[in-house]
Amino acid sequence: MIGKDTAMVTGTLADDIRRRLGELSPAERKVARVLLSAYPASGFETIATIAERAAVSSPTVLRFVARLGFSGFPDFQAALRAELDERNASPLALYEAGEAASSDDSTTGLLARSSGLFSTAVAQTLAELPAADVENAIALLADPKRRITLVGGRFSHLLAQYLGLHLMQLRDNVCFLPERDVERTAALAQLTRRDVVVVFDYRRYEDETLAIAQLTQEHGGKVIVFTDTFLSPTSAHAQVVLPSRVSTPSPYDSLVPTMAVVETVVAGVIRTLGEEAHRHMQRSEETARRAGLV
């Protein structure tokens, strides 16, 4: 049995550690940084290994996990394993686990359950987003000197397209990462310090998006990651991470809260660009009219 009162905790253990950094002693903060530097794998190392990497004593590691509310190191690792199981869950696994089941299988019951889940998920997502991260995302996307490239996954590519199509109406130098191998390779090879790559990646994370984030960072570019609260591995290479809740009445993760974050960011970009966004929208509208596209 896990010794932590999980009912009072939201997000991941990494989120909890970040929130508590200000409460920790200098030695405990060293432990926290070691765990966060290679999260979640670092949490499965031995107490002695973590202590050595943090240059602290083993009792300091134990005090750290106690500060998080765990009765011991095994309980901390058990919580981390449970988080990873949830993080890696497929729609099939969620279905078979009964997460989609409800005591009221009527349409009325489904509507009521969906209303509660989506309303709560959106509210929690927006409340938990650090304002500084949202501001950084807006600043990067509104910087006219930067080239914006967007890429998503199996389902999340729809959100990448949604954000990208809005940005195209507001500013220049916005594109989607090509799908064909040769074109994608050429685009990635041309990344520079002025590039911002926006990645959408959700659990059952895709290796390709991780490689894209790594390449962007290596070329000096900036990475913005839209992900779930379990945090895509691409987060380790990102300047901005915008996690969203994924609660849903079905076995499939919801992208509704992410849509709310995307639209919030778009509103911020419009505010930041000001009259330039207005002029760009006018030019786009006139061009589309003359080309017979509207």
Side-chain angles (χ1 to χ4, degrees):
M1 178 177 173
I2 298 172
K4 187 176 179 64
D5 182 5
T6 55
M8 296 301 292
V9 177
T10 61
T12 65
L13 287 173
D15 293 330
D16 197 18
I17 292 171
R18 291 188 187 96
R19 281 194 295 267
R20 294 173 182 266
L21 282 173
E23 307 170 7
L24 303 176
S25 69
E28 290 166 350
R29 277 197 293 275
K30 291 181 181 180
V31 177
R33 293 190 184 101
V34 164
L35 291 174
L36 291 174
S37 67
Y39 185 87
S42 53
F44 292 107
E45 295 178 333
T46 65
I47 294 174
T49 299
I50 295 172
E52 181 179 358
R53 289 181 57 202
V56 299
S57 65
S58 293
T60 298
V61 177
L62 293 175
R63 285 196 297 272
F64 169 79
V65 298
R67 181 88 72 166
L68 295 180
F70 294 99
S71 59
F73 198 69
D75 286 335
F76 169 77
Q77 291 188 322
L80 189 56
R81 278 192 293 273
E83 179 182 299
L84 282 180
D85 287 342
E86 189 174 2
R87 182 189 194 206
N88 297 326
S90 68
L92 177 61
L94 294 175
Y95 183 89
E96 292 176 345
E99 290 194 14
S102 172
S103 59
D104 184 354
D105 59 1
S106 68
T107 301
T108 301
L110 176 61
L111 289 171
R113 186 173 181 226
S114 295
S115 175
L117 282 172
F118 291 138
S119 298
T120 299
V122 170
Q124 288 183 330
T125 293
L126 295 177
E128 293 168 0
L129 282 176
D133 286 338
V134 176
E135 290 172 0
N136 287 339
I138 291 169
L140 287 170
L141 295 176
D143 186 347
K145 296 179 181 178
R146 294 189 178 275
R147 178 173 56 188
I148 311 298
T149 304
L150 301 99
V151 61
R154 301 176 191 89
F155 292 94
S156 59
H157 73 278
L158 298 171
L159 289 175
Q161 291 176 344
Y162 185 81
L163 174 57
L165 292 175
H166 278 78
L167 292 176
M168 287 176 184
Q169 295 186 349
L170 303 173
R171 52 158 297 162
D172 295 325
N173 293 321
V174 178
C175 65
F176 301 107
L177 193 65
E179 293 186 3
R180 290 186 292 193
D181 291 347
V182 173
E183 294 174 341
R184 177 166 288 206
T185 299
L188 293 174
Q190 294 172 30
L191 290 172
T192 68
R193 295 176 62 86
R194 74 183 185 93
D195 282 286
V196 175
V197 175
V198 183
V199 174
F200 289 78
D201 194 31
Y202 295 79
R203 62 179 171 180
R204 298 194 83 184
Y205 311 104
E206 300 179 42
D207 292 339
E208 187 175 14
T209 55
L210 175 58
I212 291 167
Q214 290 174 320
L215 283 168
T216 305
Q217 186 182 50
E218 289 171 8
H219 285 80
K222 305 295 185 182
V223 179
I224 299 174
V225 175
F226 289 80
T227 185
D228 50 44
T229 53
F230 307 107
L231 300 183
S232 159
T234 58
S235 301
H237 306 283
Q239 281 64 49
V240 179
V241 180
L242 300 175
S244 299
R245 298 276 171 169
V246 292
S247 304
T248 176
S250 81
Y252 295 94
D253 286 346
S254 172
L255 296 180
V256 170
T258 304
M259 179 67 81
V261 177
V262 166
E263 296 202 346
T264 299
V265 169
V266 168
V269 171
I270 294 173
R271 179 198 65 198
T272 301
L273 290 174
E275 185 55 30
E276 179 53 37
H278 184 209
R279 287 193 295 269
H280 199 284
M281 292 173 72
Q282 288 177 322
R283 289 196 301 271
S284 296
E285 187 75 13
E286 176 63 15
T287 301
R289 185 190 64 77
R290 293 186 62 184
L293 300 176
V294 293

